[in-house]
Amino acid sequence: MREALEKIRSEALAAIAAAQESAALESLRVRYSGKKGELTGILKMMGKLSAEERPKMGQLANDVRTALEAAFTARAAELADRALAAQLKSEAVDVTVPAAPISVGHQHPLTIVINEVCTIFEAMGFETVEGPEVEYDYYNFEALNTPPNHPARDTQDTFYFSDNMLLRTQTSSVQVRTMEHRKPPIRVIAPGRVYRSDAVDATHSPLFHQIEGLLVDEGVTMADLKGALDVFAKGMFGARTATRFRPHHFPFTEPSAEMDVSCFACGGEGCRLCKGEGWIEILGCGMVHPNVLRGCSIDPEKYSGFAFGLGVERVALLRYKIDDMRLVYENDERFLRQF
Amino acid sequence: MKLSMNWLKSMTDVPAAPKEYIAAMTMSGSKVETLEYLGSEIENVVAGRLLSVESHADAAKLLICQVDVGGERPLQIVTGAHNVSAGDFVPVAVDGAKLPGGVEIRTGALRGVMSEGMLCSHQELGLTEHDIPNAPEHGILLLNDAEYGELTLGEDIRKVLGFDDWVVDFEITPNRPDCLSMIGLARESAATYDRSYTPPTPSVKAGAGKIGDYLTVKVDEPTLCPRYTARLVRNVKIAPSPKWMRDRLRAMGVRPINNIVDITNYVMLEYGQPMHAFDYTCLSDSRIIVRRAQTDEVFTTLDDQQRRLTSEMLVIADGVKPVAVAGVMGGANSEITQQTRDVVFESANFNGVSVRLTARALGMRTESSGRFEKGLDPRQTYAAVERACELVELLGAGDVCDGVIDVDFSDPDPRVLPLEWERINRFIGIDVPRETMVRYLTLLGFGIDGDRVTVPSWRGDVEQFSDLAEEVARFYGYDKIPTTLYAGETTFRRSPKLAFDDLLRRLSAAIGYNEIQTYSFINEKAYDKLRIPSDSPLRQVLIIKNPLSEDMRVMRTTPLASMAEVLARNANVKNPCARLYELTSLYFPVITDGKPDYTKLPEERQALTFGAYGEIDFYGIKAAVEGLAQALRMPALRYEASSDPSFHPGRCARVTVDGEELGIIGQLHPMAAQSFDLSVPAYIAALDVRVLMDKRGGITQYKPLPRFPATTRDLAVVCGEELPVGTLEDVIRTAVGEILESIRLFDIYRSPLLGAHKKSVAFSLTLRDPARTLTDTDADAAMSRAVAALEKIGATLRS
């Protein structure tokens, strides 16, 4: 009997080790350890043994069973690992094959700039509003301290529909519209299209975009104007951007200024972008002219405010190094997809 | 406005370094456009003296000169000019010299004779006969004349010829006509450096008889001509003006002509006061009358153009005829010529608006009109005419008569403002002592008396508190004003409309479309190209009176033309496909009596337009619209076949939502596409942004997730081709009722086996009852209802 058990052990272990598939292994389990298997068959003969032999043989039979079960489990795990490895190997992909595209559209560069500017001012408490593009002369000029035949009108060649209706030449018209129906505190920013009769070339377009800003309240100072625009410049062009304010003239602000920012290409050292100046002119601004306030029934003795206007195309062209404004309105997809 | 630094230095003492000067002027408010050194193109050209002049042995046309240029030995220079002789002073370009136009001079042999440079003509130095009136047309510029002064041999020729000067070109804003003058700029310069300046103080000897015996002046229009000042000069000797004056004029960009004309230009540059000189003998009746022109009066101006005048225009006339258009241009009939003997100098003040309108009506903007229209100081006419006469005497150009005719209607009282110095500090956000403010203002010519500020007559732009504040701020320095942030009450938001625009842009990008920006004005012919009927209300457009071109003439009422153009442009550069969108304004005029009303603002309505070609069909662009509607959580959109003439008649739908017109979608009509030079099928959807905004889902009210399982059933029916899928869906939806959670088309199949003009349409239905688990019986009953309803419209269950 001992021989029989040892024989089963050695035969079964060899067969388990040789099994190559889990199905074959399973049939070995049935053959050796199953209810009708060889080991069970031998154990059935235990009754014929002497009382002395029986525990010894019982012990041996148990050892064999344990050994076979361990071998089955181990081999099963091995075969499962091997099968998984084979499956994973067969499922391998070529990671360099290009993916089927998921096409996400692009926003126009002008929109990107407008959004950035508005977002910065919104964070400073400005509300973004808009006004009509076809405008009365009154809102575009007269209420902005630029009466008919004022020489300042020469600098803005205007498209007219009739004597008193035109395409606005500046978003400043929104200042007046805002102050007419709101009373201080006022804090608005107004992006939009403006029009001037300039023939199309690399730096001119009869249509372009401006962003107007206006803050009117009690005790607003020119220092506040500088502060707000300095925050804007740092938000727009980077935290290390410096600003420079130069006196200038606009009919609807007094004092007036132009703001330069330190060149965002060279940081102020002087380069091609800034024409060696180190500064780039970005916007016009000033303290709202008392005549404009009065025209909107806001008392300049009590209130003061500042306003500014920024050319969007100029910022977009400089920032993205676009050398021809026509590209912006040609809308070639190869251009649009770069933004 | 140009400024000669040499001329400036004769009036005030400013730092020598031009770059530092322009930086300081920029920061005090005079914007600099350019800075130029007049002699930048000339190098190593010096004054020399000819020691000897001999003929070249091998070339009769060449002369060999020994030239003393102040060096250890004379230079030998060969020249082809023959107007030179020993003892002449000449400009000598020595070895390594540079001349205008990039010419370089080197030592070299000419016909075997060494030449160590070149003798220069005035042309070679970049000068014209106007700059050097007595220069020979061909030949070397001779510097023998006394007006070149005592020459030092070897002296830099740029110093001799007035090229040693820096010229600053200022951008003068329209509010500061006083800065269109040397005196004005000297005042600003001096104030910038906290120094004084000395304007000229003209004094005239006169003595050639009384002006009153020769001339009378009458001003009929005091509001158009607040002041008219005149002096008479007799026995004029027309001649070139002296070199110093020519040099200054040339530096300022003005061509020298003759002494009398040059004096008027010189005074204009110096004082900013346009002057005019009349030939006295041409003035009929020895009178000057400032009056309105007669309607259709014809007049020939100095540029020999005939002008038809109107009664809106002011003229200077004699007893018979106009002799000048006031403030714009003189007449050919009284022009200064070589024969002129007696001259009337006019120094007048004209109304700016009147001059501006006249110049514009005549289509001639002159140096003079450009100045008058900004509003000049009436106080300056007297000093200017005095200065002109002083220069006449200085130049020996004639004999000045005694007396000045000065017809003055202008307001002599200066403007007085309170000096609210503390308020200025509060307004600017600075803390400048009162004395400092007083100093800034005094330097600029303001008079200070206690708390009263007298505004100088030339500062018409200073009208109120904020104007004084600006004067203080710019001389204190904008860069020294602190930066502070205003606190105060505020709202933080974007207007709902702009926030919605932004959302539309982001969603359009998310569904794969690229944003375009096109012009708001289009060519009226686009309406024909789009096959829009002649009686369509879309053709009621606003037309720009002064368009740049036909292509930019009418304000668009349709977004289709711009989109078609951009699609065509992309197709024509061979971009294989395009997915574009634009958020556009359309401009619908108010219609009065059946026509666009040009007195009322149009309605500006926004459209969201998708355009695409390449790898797309009708359902592709429909998917974009559906994706957008879904993202906006809109109610279901309805599509109804439409016959819009701009679109393919079989591939176009009107889109509605809740019964409201949302827009149109379809393939651009092949003929329309062709007229836009678009050779591929293009699909466009144009949606009304207001309707999108109105119909988008509001704040979500959460619905519980389903607790009971859904049952799915497929349903395939056969019907005629003409029956739209949408109708089948509607019928199923109604028949099944509330338990229909969703319906999805999954197949349309055509086959001869189905019969001609038949199709099989298959749907997958998801049924769910929120309150219980549906039984097979429930589902079967629902499907039977659907089948029965479909049969009624001629769709039978596919066997």
Side-chain angles (χ1 to χ4, degrees):
Chain A
M1 190 165 191
R2 177 181 300 270
E3 290 77 22
L5 281 171
E6 291 295 355
K7 186 168 171 266
I8 286 173
R9 167 151 51 190
S10 59
E11 270 183 22
L13 286 179
I16 289 166
Q20 293 303 318
E21 286 170 18
S22 53
L25 188 66
E26 187 53 30
S27 64
L28 287 176
R29 184 197 302 276
V30 173
R31 181 172 152 202
Y32 290 104
S33 305
K35 282 178 185 167
K36 293 174 182 169
E38 289 183 21
L39 193 58
T40 318
I42 288 189
L43 288 177
K44 281 178 183 162
M45 293 188 282
M46 288 285 281
K48 294 174 186 168
L49 293 178
S50 65
E52 199 176 301
E53 282 282 305
R54 200 178 294 155
K56 287 182 187 165
M57 281 305 115
Q59 180 64 44
L60 179 61
N62 246 345
D63 289 351
V64 172
R65 179 189 298 273
T66 310
L68 291 192
E69 272 169 15
F72 277 125
T73 309
R75 186 61 184 164
E78 259 176 53
L79 289 180
D81 283 353
R82 197 187 290 174
L84 179 63
Q87 182 197 344
L88 295 182
K89 190 175 178 200
S90 72
E91 286 171 358
V93 298
D94 178 352
V95 296
T96 65
V97 171
I102 294 173
S103 185
V104 174
H106 298 249
Q107 290 204 337
H108 195 277
L110 298 177
T111 300
I112 297 171
V113 170
I114 290 172
N115 256 328
E116 271 188 53
V117 175
C118 291
T119 304
I120 293 169
F121 281 103
E122 281 162 11
M124 282 192 271
F126 286 73
E127 177 179 350
T128 307
V129 298
E130 61 185 336
E133 293 168 26
V134 179
E135 195 41 291
Y136 291 122
D137 184 280
Y138 176 80
Y139 290 100
N140 193 71
F141 286 126
E142 213 166 332
L144 290 166
N145 206 27
T146 316
N149 300 311
H150 191 284
R153 291 194 178 207
D154 278 353
T155 57
Q156 300 181 7
D157 288 331
T158 311
F159 289 118
Y160 283 96
F161 296 103
S162 59
D163 286 348
N164 74 339
M165 217 165 84
L166 44 77
L167 277 168
R168 67 175 175 193
T169 58
Q170 48 197 5
T171 43
S172 310
S173 53
V174 185
Q175 279 187 37
V176 183
R177 288 192 170 270
T178 304
M179 287 192 280
E180 270 188 355
H181 69 264
R182 294 187 193 191
K183 292 303 145 204
I186 293 170
R187 221 184 264 224
V188 295
I189 182 148
R193 294 185 157 202
V194 299
Y195 303 82
R196 289 182 200 175
S197 171
D198 287 325
V200 178
D201 65 23
T203 53
H204 292 90
S205 166
L207 176 164
F208 57 101
H209 293 72
Q210 280 188 340
I211 299 175
E212 191 78 11
L214 173 71
L215 187 153
V216 180
D217 206 341
E218 282 180 59
V220 179
T221 69
M222 197 161 168
D224 296 329
L225 162 70
K226 284 185 68 178
L229 292 176
D230 194 65
V231 168
F232 157 69
K234 288 179 164 58
M236 189 77 196
F237 302 110
R240 274 188 288 179
T241 305
T243 51
R244 180 174 83 164
F245 291 79
R246 286 178 286 103
H248 198 65
H249 168 73
F250 303 105
F252 39 93
T253 49
E254 186 79 24
S256 304
E258 281 183 332
M259 183 178 89
D260 302 333
V261 297
S262 52
C263 178
F264 34 82
C266 64
E269 304 266 309
C271 67
R272 251 185 64 191
L273 188 72
C274 59
K275 300 192 179 83
E277 300 274 323
W279 295 100
I280 291 179
E281 186 183 318
I282 288 293
L283 54 76
C285 56
M287 301 302 288
V288 182
H289 198 288
N291 293 358
V292 176
L293 292 174
R294 259 181 232 119
C296 300
S297 306
I298 292 175
D299 180 6
E301 302 289 322
K302 182 169 180 200
Y303 295 104
S304 57
F306 62 77
F308 55 87
L310 163 107
V312 176
E313 274 76 354
R314 182 172 167 72
V315 173
L317 264 56
L318 287 167
R319 164 179 264 195
Y320 301 121
K321 304 198 168 62
I322 301 170
D323 52 12
D324 191 332
M325 203 192 289
R326 283 169 288 209
L327 285 165
V328 172
Y329 289 99
E330 267 166 15
N331 301 299
D332 190 318
E333 268 219 354
R334 294 168 296 181
F335 172 80
L336 299 173
R337 289 187 162 278
Q338 295 180 30
F339 299 92
Chain B
M1 172 73 192
K2 288 190 173 175
L3 170 133
S4 148
M5 292 286 283
N6 285 350
W7 193 347
L8 177 70
K9 280 178 202 155
S10 72
M11 281 194 260
T12 185
D13 169 34
V14 297
K19 287 204 169 142
E20 186 200 313
Y21 171 73
I22 63 167
M25 289 297 280
T26 298
M27 293 312 287
S28 72
S30 303
K31 191 175 181 180
V32 173
E33 299 215 302
T34 57
L35 171 67
E36 182 201 0
Y37 181 63
L38 287 182
S40 62
E41 288 195 302
I42 299 174
E43 272 176 40
N44 293 321
V45 182
V46 298
R49 184 159 187 244
L50 301 181
L51 300 176
S52 65
V53 178
E54 290 165 23
S55 295
H56 191 292
D58 295 336
K61 288 187 178 167
L62 295 182
L63 298 175
I64 302 167
C65 311
Q66 300 301 320
V67 192
D68 182 355
V69 292
E72 287 174 11
R73 61 170 184 84
L75 300 179
Q76 173 171 292
I77 292 178
V78 180
T79 181
H82 282 254
N83 67 324
V84 288
S85 44
D88 282 345
F89 288 92
V90 290
V92 183
V94 301
D95 185 49
K98 286 183 182 155
L99 296 175
V103 178
E104 285 193 35
I105 302 301
R106 293 271 169 219
T107 295
L110 270 176
R111 292 290 188 99
V113 176
M114 202 48 123
S115 182
E116 298 170 290
M118 187 178 89
L119 308 185
C120 302
S121 67
H122 67 280
Q123 293 99 332
E124 281 160 338
L125 291 167
L127 295 166
T128 70
E129 73 275 17
H130 296 284
D131 304 316
I132 313 281
N134 53 5
E137 195 181 340
H138 304 289
I140 302 306
L141 173 60
L142 302 180
L143 305 174
N144 302 330
D145 202 289
E147 70 179 3
Y148 295 105
E150 284 286 311
L151 290 179
T152 309
L153 297 181
E155 186 178 357
D156 190 331
I157 207 72
R158 295 180 293 196
K159 285 205 164 64
V160 179
L161 294 176
F163 284 119
D164 185 30
D165 195 1
W166 289 84
V167 173
V168 185
D169 198 355
F170 287 101
E171 179 198 327
I172 303 298
T173 52
N175 61 322
R176 294 298 305 275
D178 61 305
C179 286
L180 293 171
S181 70
M182 285 303 305
I183 292 176
L185 287 171
R187 188 187 299 123
E188 286 287 322
S189 305
T192 300
Y193 287 100
D194 200 358
R195 302 180 185 189
S196 62
Y197 75 107
T198 44
T201 46
S203 85
V204 183
K205 292 187 201 78
K210 288 185 185 148
I211 188 169
D213 294 341
Y214 297 96
L215 183 70
T216 59
V217 173
K218 183 160 154 279
V219 175
D220 286 350
E221 299 286 344
T223 51
L224 300 187
C225 176
R227 191 168 187 181
Y228 196 98
T229 311
R231 281 200 84 150
L232 181 64
V233 179
R234 303 189 60 207
N235 308 319
V236 164
K237 291 171 280 294
I238 300 292
S241 27
K243 178 175 175 296
W244 66 266
M245 183 179 272
R246 296 196 314 267
D247 283 352
R248 283 187 175 179
L249 290 175
R250 191 181 76 219
M252 304 285 279
V254 173
R255 199 172 77 178
I257 309 241
N258 61 45
N259 47 7
I260 296 299
V261 174
D262 290 355
I263 284 170
T264 61
N265 284 331
Y266 188 90
V267 173
M268 179 172 75
L269 295 172
E270 193 172 44
Y271 280 79
Q273 171 65 43
M275 305 267 304
H276 189 65
F278 296 105
D279 186 329
Y280 172 73
T281 49
C282 302
L283 298 178
S284 301
D285 304 343
S286 305
R287 300 179 65 187
I288 281 178
I289 305 167
V290 184
R291 61 163 170 87
R292 284 171 187 270
Q294 286 148 26
T295 303
D296 289 338
E297 202 164 0
V298 174
F299 176 63
T300 304
T301 39
L302 270 174
D303 53 3
D304 286 326
Q305 299 287 309
Q306 278 216 344
R307 312 277 176 181
R308 190 169 291 275
L309 309 177
T310 73
S311 61
E312 301 295 304
M313 299 171 180
L314 192 70
V315 295
I316 312 303
D318 59 19
V320 178
K321 60 187 186 295
V323 289
V325 180
V328 183
M329 194 180 271
N333 57 13
S334 53
E335 191 180 353
I336 303 299
T337 66
Q338 288 298 325
Q339 285 71 47
T340 298
R341 274 188 12 256
D342 302 319
V343 165
V344 176
F345 278 124
E346 165 197 287
S347 175
N349 188 269
F350 300 113
N351 175 284
V353 171
S354 162
V355 170
R356 180 181 157 87
L357 291 176
T358 299
R360 197 161 65 181
L362 294 175
M364 50 187 313
R365 203 164 175 280
T366 60
E367 181 69 38
S368 164
S369 75
R371 288 165 179 268
F372 277 120
E373 68 176 31
K374 294 179 179 76
L376 296 182
D377 173 14
R379 298 291 96 214
Q380 72 190 13
T381 61
Y382 196 97
V385 84
E386 289 289 276
R387 175 65 167 159
C389 292
E390 180 185 55
L391 288 170
V392 166
E393 291 180 344
L394 186 68
L395 267 55
D399 304 325
V400 179
C401 285
D402 291 317
V404 180
I405 294 181
D406 187 17
V407 184
D408 186 4
F409 299 100
S410 66
D411 180 4
D413 295 331
R415 183 177 285 127
V416 176
L417 299 173
L419 175 62
E420 300 166 278
W421 70 279
E422 285 159 312
R423 188 178 168 204
I424 289 177
N425 275 331
R426 283 198 306 276
F427 181 59
I428 304 295
I430 50 178
D431 191 12
V432 173
R434 187 181 180 285
E435 315 83 76
T436 309
M437 289 192 195
V438 168
R439 197 176 77 239
Y440 297 149
L441 292 171
T442 308
L443 283 167
L444 290 167
F446 290 82
I448 312 285
D449 177 13
D451 281 337
R452 288 154 50 88
V453 181
T454 304
V455 179
S457 59
W458 59 83
R459 291 302 302 274
D461 62 308
V462 177
E463 295 176 321
Q464 50 195 318
F465 160 77
S466 59
D467 301 314
L468 289 177
E470 179 173 68
E471 299 306 293
V472 170
R474 66 194 181 98
F475 287 98
Y476 174 72
Y478 277 18
D479 51 339
K480 285 195 277 179
I481 299 171
T483 55
T484 54
L485 278 182
Y486 188 77
E489 184 187 316
T490 184
T491 55
F492 294 82
R493 62 167 203 164
R494 194 167 285 203
S495 80
K497 169 64 177 56
L498 288 171
F500 186 65
D501 287 354
D502 189 40
L503 175 64
L504 289 181
R505 288 192 170 100
R506 281 185 284 124
L507 293 176
S508 301
I511 56 179
Y513 283 70
N514 298 302
E515 188 185 15
I516 63 170
Q517 293 259 9
T518 62
Y519 291 159
S520 314
F521 23 58
I522 58 176
N523 192 319
E524 203 167 10
K525 289 207 181 80
Y527 290 87
D528 297 335
K529 291 183 178 180
L530 288 168
R531 303 158 41 84
I532 292 172
S534 54
D535 60 350
S536 164
L538 289 179
R539 289 197 183 241
Q540 298 270 30
V541 289
L542 283 180
I543 298 173
I544 296 171
K545 269 201 332 195
N546 54 335
L548 276 179
S549 73
E550 280 301 309
D551 284 342
M552 306 184 210
R553 183 154 169 268
V554 307
M555 298 307 288
R556 61 185 169 192
T557 54
T558 170
L560 301 181
S562 312
M563 181 56 82
E565 271 174 23
V566 174
L567 289 171
R569 194 172 301 139
N570 275 281
N572 291 333
V573 296
K574 304 280 184 272
N575 288 333
C577 57
R579 299 288 181 272
L580 305 171
Y581 81 91
E582 184 175 26
L583 204 52
T584 43
S585 274
L586 305 176
Y587 310 82
F588 294 96
V590 173
I591 302 297
T592 305
D593 297 333
K595 277 185 281 187
D597 192 330
Y598 280 83
T599 64
K600 296 195 178 78
L601 296 188
E603 184 194 351
E604 295 183 17
R605 212 185 294 160
Q606 264 74 40
L608 174 63
T609 313
F610 294 100
Y613 69 79
E615 293 169 38
I616 191 164
D617 59 11
F618 179 88
Y619 302 108
I621 194 109
K622 184 175 176 181
V625 173
E626 283 292 303
L628 180 77
Q630 196 192 338
L632 293 172
R633 294 179 289 109
M634 294 172 71
L637 306 187
R638 298 193 59 89
Y639 300 82
E640 209 178 284
S642 161
S643 54
D644 187 295
S646 303
F647 289 89
H648 187 307
R651 294 181 179 176
C652 174
R654 212 176 123 234
V655 190
T656 56
V657 54
D658 282 351
E660 262 198 78
E661 186 93 24
L662 175 60
I664 191 115
I665 171 173
Q667 181 186 338
L668 193 62
H669 194 289
M671 294 309 292
Q674 196 182 29
S675 65
F676 282 102
D677 196 18
L678 182 53
S679 52
V680 292
Y683 294 87
I684 297 182
L687 309 176
D688 187 329
V689 171
R690 188 185 51 81
V691 178
L692 287 173
M693 194 169 167
D694 283 355
K695 298 296 177 187
R696 75 177 147 166
I699 293 172
T700 295
Q701 304 297 305
Y702 147 83
K703 285 194 201 100
L705 301 182
R707 288 166 52 213
F708 298 98
T711 304
T712 54
R713 292 293 171 96
D714 289 352
L715 175 60
V717 292
V718 176
C719 65
E721 279 285 6
E722 73 291 344
L723 204 54
V725 170
T727 308
L728 299 175
E729 278 190 10
D730 288 348
V731 166
I732 294 169
R733 209 170 262 128
T734 314
V736 174
E738 283 187 349
I739 60 166
L740 181 64
E741 187 175 80
S742 66
I743 176 166
R744 183 174 64 85
L745 171 84
F746 72 86
D747 187 37
I748 298 179
Y749 166 74
R750 293 172 180 89
S751 150
L753 296 176
L754 295 173
H757 309 299
K758 294 274 185 190
K759 63 187 172 190
S760 158
V761 184
F763 299 97
S764 172
L765 281 60
T766 303
L767 309 174
R768 194 196 304 266
D769 188 323
R772 62 192 180 90
T773 303
L774 278 183
T775 62
D776 278 351
T777 324
D778 298 328
D780 291 344
M783 295 307 287
S784 304
R785 291 198 299 276
V787 170
L790 287 167
E791 273 177 359
K792 283 190 192 152
I793 59 163
T796 53
L797 197 59
R798 189 173 160 204
S799 47

